[in-house]
Amino acid sequence: EYDKIYGRTIDLDAQAKTAVELIRDAAMAVRPAEASDIIASANNILRRFPEGANTAQMSGKELQTLRTNLNSIVSRGGPEGAQASQMVKALDQIFLRGVPQNERAKVAADLATNNQRYSAFATLEDMAKAGYTRGGDLDLLAFEKDIPAPALDVVAIYKST
């Protein structure tokens, strides 16, 4: 679905250029070796801006590539993951600003829906890696050791069924 959303030509402005530069610079400052894909994606976008220009037209797929590369850091969690998550949200806003006004509401709704689906999928994937599934189903009993006491009532109800 992201391919359908991002598979359009968009217009980027000076604010978008600055945001991409900041993302690139942050990646270079934190861990350049681990962030080489992010740096390369950002540089590809920045190359689309003609010399001295603050506007450019390009395929949304280029922002999608940068977004995907940032999501690899989001999935690690921690402070860097949280910062990368904010960058992904900023890229979504940059992308939406580049979409023609008459299409923006629909594209924004499609993007929000896909972001929710992606988030749910990523959560399930993390749960499977953490051992919270059994035979492809969620195993509420596996949560018992990791959840706070008030939520244990849910597990108790589940156990009684």
Side-chain angles (χ1 to χ4, degrees), residues 31-50:
R31 291 192 179 130
E34 291 181 27
S36 61
D37 290 342
I38 293 168
I39 295 165
S41 297
N43 283 334
N44 285 339
I45 292 168
L46 294 170
R47 278 195 277 285
R48 299 289 185 196
F49 287 86

Side-chain angles (χ1 to χ4, degrees), residues 124-145 155 158-159 161:
L124 288 173
E125 188 175 52
D126 289 346
M127 293 170 80
K129 288 177 186 174
Y132 295 129
T133 59
R134 181 178 45 192
D137 295 325
L138 290 178
D139 183 4
L140 287 180
L141 298 178
F143 285 104
E144 190 171 16
K145 66 183 183 326
V155 174
Y158 176 75
K159 283 182 176 178
T161 60

Side-chain angles (χ1 to χ4, degrees), residues 19-29 38-40 42-43 46 66:
V20 172
E21 288 170 338
L22 290 171
I23 290 169
R24 180 202 55 203
D25 294 349
M28 289 170 53
I38 293 168
I39 295 165
N43 283 334
L46 294 170
L66 179 55

Side-chain angles (χ1 to χ4, degrees), residues 16-93:
K17 181 179 180 182
T18 300
V20 172
E21 288 170 338
L22 290 171
I23 290 169
R24 180 202 55 203
D25 294 349
M28 289 170 53
V30 178
R31 291 192 179 130
E34 291 181 27
S36 61
D37 290 342
I38 293 168
I39 295 165
S41 297
N43 283 334
N44 285 339
I45 292 168
L46 294 170
R47 278 195 277 285
R48 299 289 185 196
F49 287 86
E51 185 70 33
N54 285 322
T55 60
Q57 195 173 62
M58 69 187 67
S59 168
K61 296 256 186 199
E62 294 191 54
L63 281 178
Q64 181 185 9
T65 299
L66 179 55
R67 185 184 195 284
T68 299
N69 291 334
L70 282 167
N71 269 325
S72 69
I73 293 177
V74 172
S75 66
R76 296 181 200 165
E80 289 174 0
Q83 183 180 17
S85 177
Q86 292 305 312
M87 291 177 187
V88 167
K89 290 175 185 173
L91 281 177
D92 285 348
Q93 293 308 307

